[in-house]
Structure formats: structure tokens, C-alpha cells
Amino acid sequence: MKDTMGAKGFGSMVCRDKDGNIKWELNFTNTITNVGFAVIAGLAGNTGAQTAFTYLAVGTSSTAPSASQTALGGEITTNGLGRAAATVSRVTTTQTNDTLQLYKLFTVTGTSTVEEAGVFNDATTGTMLGRALTSSKTVVNGDTLAITYKVKFS
């Protein structure tokens, strides 16, 4: 029997050109935020009118992640990369349905440099569950950017 519980974020990004060829791909780990843990506690207890985490966003900041952060350092809102609702599911990493998974395929309409990704519970503001650095990755018009973001509870 386990007497502790934790959350670990991780995921991947795949950028494809207009012809479907992989331009780059990467795996990442993230930092779960303090405010994210607070919302998770509220969701678990059905208290505090909390909202589930169902949105993905990318940004331009390479500032190191910290549990005290509440937003991306430089969220991108243009070029087809604005915060968007993800397809949300539970998947199995170790135990049945122990991992929250968010997936979004962005269609890029201009040039941007992606440095960070985050999970949120609102389309424009809300609480950030976690943030990850991606290193400096460029996307251009016609590319697609697939993000799979997971949070494993154990």
C-alpha cells in the first residue's frame, strides 16, 4: 500500500512540414505548479468549483520552470499556435488509467519559435497545471505541431 501520491509531467512534440515529413521531434519533462496541485486537490474532493485541465499552449520563454509560476513566460497567440482545447483521455503508464493525456495538433500559419509548453484549465486565463521547456524549435507556415502532454499520478 502506498501512503504518498505525486504527479509527474512528460510528453512529446512532433513537427511535420507541409508534405508530412518530420522536421523535428522531442521529448520533455515538466514542472507541476503549486497552483496546479491546489486545483487537483479541489477536483479530487469536488470542492472549490475547480475546472479540469483541458487546454494546451506554447510560448517563447526559455526561463527555467518553477513550481511558483502561474503562466507561460511568453504565450504565443498567433500563427495558429494560440491556446487550444486538447483531446483529453486517461491512459495507462504503470497502473490502469493512472495518466492524464492531452493531445493537440496545431496547424501553423506563420513563423514562430517554440520554447515552452503548458497545460491550462481555461481557454484564455485559468490555472497552469504544468510547464515544460522544449529548447528553441522553429515552426513555419504549413507545418503541423503535434503535442502529447501527459501527467502521471503515482
Side-chain angles (χ1 to χ4, degrees):
M1 176 184 205
K2 248 184 152 169
D3 61 357
T4 61
M5 183 175 143
K8 177 181 178 169
F10 58 99
S12 65
M13 289 187 178
V14 178
C15 179
R16 295 181 184 269
D17 67 18
K18 62 181 176 54
D19 297 318
N21 301 307
I22 295 176
K23 290 177 59 175
W24 54 264
E25 56 188 320
L26 63 87
N27 294 315
F28 58 82
T29 58
N30 83 333
T31 298
I32 303 295
T33 65
N34 296 333
V35 292
F37 276 120
V39 171
I40 291 168
L43 289 168
N46 195 26
T47 63
Q50 303 301 325
T51 303
F53 295 98
T54 59
Y55 293 87
L56 288 173
V58 294
T60 60
S61 175
S62 60
T63 301
S66 166
S68 64
Q69 292 169 337
T70 58
L72 292 178
E75 189 169 336
I76 298 172
T77 60
T78 61
N79 298 330
L81 295 170
R83 188 183 303 189
T87 299
V88 181
S89 60
R90 290 186 304 165
V91 298
T92 299
T93 301
T94 306
Q95 303 295 322
T96 302
N97 291 327
D98 63 349
T99 303
L100 169 68
Q101 178 173 279
L102 297 94
Y103 173 82
K104 177 63 183 169
L105 180 66
F106 292 90
T107 300
V108 182
T109 60
T111 300
S112 291
T113 300
V114 176
E115 297 266 359
E116 60 183 334
V119 176
F120 293 86
N121 67 353
D122 186 83
T124 56
T125 57
T127 301
M128 182 170 70
L129 172 62
R131 177 174 174 260
L133 292 183
T134 62
S135 74
S136 183
K137 297 294 184 185
T138 300
V139 294
V140 298
N141 185 40
D143 287 352
T144 60
L145 180 60
I147 302 176
T148 303
Y149 206 118
K150 298 181 179 184
V151 180
K152 180 183 184 293
F153 296 92
S154 61

